Amino acid sequence: MRAAPTPILKDLVLVGGGHSHVFVLKGFGMSPMPGVRLTLIGRDVHTPYSGMLPGLIAGHYTYDEAHIDLQKLARFAGARFLHDDVVGLDVEARTLLFRDRPPVGYDVLSIDIGSTPAKNSVPGADRFATAVKPIGKLVAKWDEVVARVLDAKGKARIGVVGAGAAGTEMTLAMQYRLRNLLREAGNTADPEFHLFSSSADVLPTHNAGVRKRFRRILAERGVQVHLASRVTEVLPNGVKDQSGCEYPLDEILWTTQAGAQQWPAEAGLAVTPGGFIKVGDTLESISHSCVFAAGDVAEMVNHPREKAGVFAVRQGPPLEENLRRALLGRTGRKFRPQKQFLSLVSTGDAYAVASRWFLSAEGEWVWRWKDHIDRKFMRKFSEDLPMQNMAEMSSPGPLLTDDEARATLAAAKMRCAGCGGKIGAGPLERALAKIEPLEREGVVVGLRGADDAAAITVPCGKVAVQSVDFFRAFCDDPYLFGRITANHALGDIFAKGAEAHSALAIAVAPYARESKVEEALHHMLYGANEALREAGAALVGGHSSEGADLSLGLSVTGIADPNRLMRKGGARPGDTLVLTKPIGVGALFAADMMGQATGRWITSAMESMCRSNAAAAQVFLAHGATACTDVTGFGLAGHLAEMLGASNAAAEIELGAIPLLDGAVEVTLAGHRSSLYPQNVRVEALIEGGPHGEPAYPLLFDPQTAGGLLATVPPHALDETLAALERAGCEPAVIGRVTPAKDGEARIRVQS
């Protein structure tokens, strides 16, 4: 018997990585609440800071300088990060809904998903205009706009609909950047810019001095401003205003009044006619308790304000306090936003205009002031974060104290082992009831029913191929963890050329309230079952237990023709070495644990791990691969050494030909290594030569999770094999060739 860690008692879920939520994340990282599981759900891994968007478009900032890395911030906060898009909300069941994953439950919910320009009322806007919001999508599309302008024959015509601060800044930023890029390309044909305002002036919410300054600046820059020109239709190649006048355009950006996503209203939350969530002075929904909203998606009914990033920033600290109070069952504290605020509006170049009350000023000094403020804000959520989250370094917040929480904590003080450590029948049965295993031929007794053991049949003349893997969770998302674990376990089956048949699962869930144990099991097994079903395998049973960490193991069975099995041995001199996935998983996740890997690198690695090896295995089998293995824990060099040892052969590999995951070289240069690396590097004794100083060299010994297949292909079948792999959606790489083994010669020669 042993004491259990503090169980999960309540779930605080943040939807969206907006400016208010980044304050909440940092606050909970500095002072966590024992018993509270924090989850961030975000469509974007890197959330753009709106104040630096014009500077990013103009080329003054890099992507990373203008974005907050939510993966890294969530890691600091001790929060789960689910990279997905919420599509619905069930306020009665207190669950969030998704397209492709199970619902996520909450006890307290906060929504900070920003806004999107209201284009639906204007015909053609959705089809032919690029919206400035959500900002993340604009940043992705900006490169496409740049490419089209640079490739255009003649002068490009660009229109911006909306002449508020956002539209005016974007117009001048795009103009500045495109002019510079065209000059660099030797093209002196400046783009033609049109700015459309439904009002009688530009920046209508600012004072007269600011409006006068921008009328002058726009005129000096050659921007054609169309005042009192309300766009009523967007055409494939232009826009039409209320007077019927048409303006031919090649690119159209939309920056008019904000709109909201539909799912909060569809869920029954009280919303404005525009779909914004109505909140009171505590930022809590006026219609539903324990549902909060902040930023552009929220409308404070007693203090309506325009949609501006400054208000979202100011709402961050009071939102954090009131979320804590809601978790403790306490009444929230009222927050009153300011009415006036300082605006620093940039003009594309390193120049800006200041606006406050009836005052205005302009100059390079204003830009430097703005740049200082923006960089200082960003440092709070990047450079100023400690290496580890403050959960281990500061006093935690108050422990949850309601009656049910006390009872759960009392039950958790001493936990039994053996059969007493099993997960109870209730949550287990409910979690399994939501799983739909594949109905597989040959499964006599499977997951459904009261039997304690599965029974399967093997077709006559075939053999069963079996493998087992077990992992402690290496990512915060139980659904993705389940998918990747299943893919990894299936890798050994596919490397043998076998057909996946069935699997048994061993699932461990952290101690928590019964409903939360059920959800953890459901999400993890749902993800695993999806991967198994896609591979043609049935989940036929298993075992569950409680433990300190979420964990999953799978024992997988495949069926194969014994005469067509692929083996590690069999490689012949002259065969080509083909690898189907990039490497670098171990180093990236080691860096991520220290908060030193960017979110997009981890997302890319997760996407690679989610890709099945099934199609690649069938291609290798069909085209006569002489040997095959999956590249996993022992790293590329270790698994290649096993293959060569079993084949009594040697190999030459080209380091520069080995595909690498994004960021793998960067984290390796920074000194990050997996904890298994010291054991893996022992295989270096079998390596001759080798460019030890090359940044990618250590990645030869990097352990992979759900890595690709490494196969040896005869020369006559190489072209057809590579073509078939590409048709199957793989990205194969030729990394070397098999050579004869010689007495005393190292088995692997590495060339740069």
Side-chain angles (χ1 to χ4, degrees):
M1 305 227 331
R2 64 183 179 85
T6 303
I8 300 167
L9 304 175
K10 289 190 178 181
D11 274 301
L12 169 59
V13 179
L14 312 178
V15 179
H19 298 352
S20 299
H21 277 177
V22 297
F23 277 94
V24 175
L25 287 165
K26 184 170 182 180
F28 271 78
M30 299 293 288
S31 181
M33 293 183 71
V36 173
R37 178 170 59 187
L38 180 60
T39 301
L40 171 66
I41 303 173
R43 175 182 54 207
D44 301 315
V45 177
H46 296 257
T47 188
Y49 174 45
S50 60
M52 298 177 86
L53 175 64
L56 173 63
I57 297 298
H60 301 305
Y61 303 118
T62 65
Y63 182 93
D64 287 327
E65 287 174 332
H67 285 76
I68 297 171
D69 189 333
L70 294 179
Q71 178 90 24
K72 188 179 295 185
L73 185 59
R75 171 75 68 185
F76 166 77
R80 299 188 302 175
F81 178 50
L82 309 186
H83 182 207
D84 213 324
D85 203 5
V86 172
V87 298
L89 168 65
D90 185 335
V91 291
E92 299 301 323
R94 291 198 174 191
T95 57
L96 293 152
L97 309 177
F98 304 83
R99 289 187 180 87
D100 301 316
R101 71 160 71 225
V104 171
Y106 67 86
D107 295 288
V108 177
L109 171 67
S110 182
I111 304 170
D112 183 13
I113 53 177
S115 62
T116 182
K119 301 190 296 182
N120 295 336
S121 60
V122 178
D126 278 329
R127 295 178 59 194
F128 306 120
T130 297
V132 169
K133 292 188 177 182
I135 295 173
K137 290 188 176 180
L138 171 68
V139 173
K141 291 182 178 180
W142 170 239
D143 288 339
E144 299 175 12
V145 173
V146 169
R148 287 195 294 267
V149 171
L150 293 179
D151 291 341
K153 296 180 180 179
K155 182 181 294 187
R157 299 162 301 183
I158 300 173
V160 178
V161 180
T168 303
E169 274 192 303
M170 285 300 300
T171 299
L172 294 170
M174 289 189 296
Q175 184 189 56
Y176 177 80
R177 181 63 173 155
L178 290 173
R179 277 182 172 176
N180 288 339
L181 290 174
L182 287 167
R183 294 293 185 276
E184 292 172 6
N187 188 342
T188 58
D190 289 338
E192 182 180 293
F193 275 87
H194 296 258
L195 181 62
F196 297 87
S197 174
S198 60
S199 303
D201 206 347
V202 295
L203 284 82
T205 62
H206 290 257
N207 63 58
V210 172
R211 297 197 300 272
K212 181 179 179 180
R213 292 178 190 273
F214 271 99
R215 285 197 303 270
R216 188 199 81 242
I217 292 169
L218 290 165
E220 290 174 351
R221 307 285 176 85
V223 177
Q224 299 183 38
V225 180
H226 307 278
L227 301 176
S229 180
R230 180 171 55 87
V231 172
T232 57
E233 184 178 1
V234 179
L235 307 171
N237 297 299
V239 298
K240 180 189 293 186
D241 68 9
Q242 80 276 9
S243 67
C245 184
E246 294 186 10
Y247 300 88
L249 299 168
D250 301 303
E251 302 286 347
I252 304 162
L253 273 79
W254 199 269
T255 70
T256 60
Q257 67 186 58
Q261 294 188 38
Q262 297 180 356
W263 61 263
E266 293 171 348
L269 297 179
V271 299
T272 68
F276 300 106
I277 301 169
K278 292 182 177 181
V279 298
D281 293 355
T282 63
L283 299 175
E284 190 172 21
S285 164
I286 65 171
S287 61
H288 290 80
S289 62
C290 293
V291 176
F292 292 76
D296 281 3
V297 76
E299 181 74 24
M300 295 191 72
V301 293
N302 297 326
H303 311 288
R305 299 289 187 268
E306 64 177 291
K307 302 300 180 186
V310 64
F311 294 119
V313 169
R314 298 292 175 83
Q315 286 171 344
L319 175 64
E320 181 200 343
E321 179 181 5
N322 285 333
L323 290 174
R324 291 180 182 274
R325 297 179 73 86
L327 288 163
L328 294 167
R330 299 175 183 170
T331 302
R333 289 183 175 170
K334 294 183 178 181
F335 162 70
R336 184 185 182 92
Q338 78 275 28
K339 291 183 179 180
Q340 299 289 334
F341 60 92
L342 173 68
S343 288
L344 302 175
V345 186
S346 59
T347 63
D349 49 359
Y351 197 91
V353 176
S355 171
R356 180 102 188 236
W357 300 304
F358 58 87
L359 303 174
S360 67
E362 65 179 275
E364 294 179 356
W365 67 271
V366 179
W367 161 260
R368 291 193 295 271
W369 184 18
K370 173 178 168 56
D371 177 64
H372 171 75
I373 292 172
D374 290 341
R375 289 184 184 274
K376 182 179 179 181
F377 174 83
M378 294 296 285
R379 282 196 298 271
K380 293 179 181 179
F381 307 103
S382 55
E383 297 174 19
D384 292 346
L385 295 179
M387 288 292 289
Q388 296 177 326
N389 83 55
M390 296 298 291
E392 303 174 0
M393 303 165 63
S394 66
S395 299
L399 188 67
L400 303 177
T401 57
D402 61 78
D403 291 340
E404 188 182 353
R406 278 195 294 268
T408 307
L409 282 166
K413 286 183 179 179
M414 296 297 290
R415 302 303 303 159
C416 294
C419 280
K422 291 182 66 172
I423 291 172
L428 177 61
E429 290 175 359
R430 289 191 295 271
L432 292 177
K434 301 171 187 175
I435 303 296
E436 292 294 334
L438 182 69
E439 294 184 5
R440 184 66 159 83
E441 182 181 356
V443 176
V444 179
V445 178
L447 189 66
R448 301 293 182 236
D451 294 277
D452 293 328
I456 64 173
T457 61
V458 178
C460 181
K462 297 295 181 70
V463 295
V465 180
Q466 295 183 310
S467 184
V468 63
D469 280 289
F470 185 87
F471 289 135
R472 183 167 58 90
F474 49 81
C475 67
D476 301 321
D477 187 334
Y479 164 77
L480 284 182
F481 170 58
R483 280 194 68 96
I484 292 169
T485 300
N487 268 337
H488 182 96
L490 288 164
D492 287 329
I493 302 299
F494 295 141
K496 290 289 181 289
E499 173 189 352
H501 182 276
S502 52
L504 295 167
I506 300 176
V508 180
Y511 192 69
R513 283 178 168 168
E514 191 171 284
S515 62
K516 302 186 187 305
V517 171
E518 177 186 332
E519 181 180 286
L521 280 175
H522 177 211
H523 283 225
M524 183 167 62
L525 293 176
Y526 188 98
N529 187 58
E530 272 195 350
L532 291 170
R533 286 179 63 96
E534 291 167 7
L539 181 62
V540 294
H543 180 81
S544 63
S545 180
E546 61 183 21
D549 300 295
L550 188 72
S551 305
L552 179 64
L554 287 165
S555 175
V556 184
T557 298
I559 303 296
D561 182 340
N563 298 315
R564 299 193 68 210
L565 280 175
M566 292 192 294
R567 306 287 296 272
K568 283 187 179 178
R572 298 173 301 203
D575 288 347
T576 300
L577 289 163
V578 178
L579 180 65
T580 64
K581 283 188 183 183
I583 62 172
V585 169
L588 283 166
F589 276 81
D592 184 49
M593 290 177 65
M594 299 299 295
Q596 299 299 305
T598 71
R600 61 182 178 276
W601 293 345
I602 298 301
T603 298
S604 177
M606 297 281 280
E607 290 172 351
S608 177
M609 289 189 284
C610 281
R611 290 197 293 272
S612 172
N613 285 323
Q618 289 304 306
V619 170
F620 286 135
L621 187 64
H623 290 80
T626 54
C628 187
T629 183
D630 60 337
V631 179
T632 52
F634 297 150
L636 178 60
H639 287 285
L640 175 57
E642 288 183 332
M643 179 184 287
L644 297 174
S647 304
N648 190 28
E652 293 179 351
I653 60 174
E654 295 183 23
L655 189 62
I658 298 171
L660 307 176
L661 287 165
D662 291 343
V665 169
E666 287 86 342
V667 299
T668 300
L669 283 171
H672 296 288
R673 304 286 189 274
S674 166
S675 57
L676 190 58
Y677 178 88
Q679 286 74 36
N680 285 355
V681 80
R682 293 173 185 171
V683 79
E684 193 173 24
L686 300 177
I687 295 178
E688 183 177 284
H692 297 270
E694 292 290 330
Y697 181 76
L699 293 171
L700 292 174
F701 316 102
D702 186 58
Q704 307 304 295
T705 300
L709 297 182
L710 175 65
T712 54
V713 179
H716 69 271
L718 179 60
D719 291 343
E720 290 185 4
T721 300
L722 295 175
L725 286 170
E726 291 175 354
R727 288 195 298 271
C730 304
E731 298 178 359
V734 173
I735 67 167
R737 66 187 184 92
V738 180
T739 61
K742 297 179 181 178
D743 293 339
E745 183 184 17
R747 294 189 179 277
I748 304 172
R749 181 186 297 274
V750 180
Q751 300 175 336
S752 58

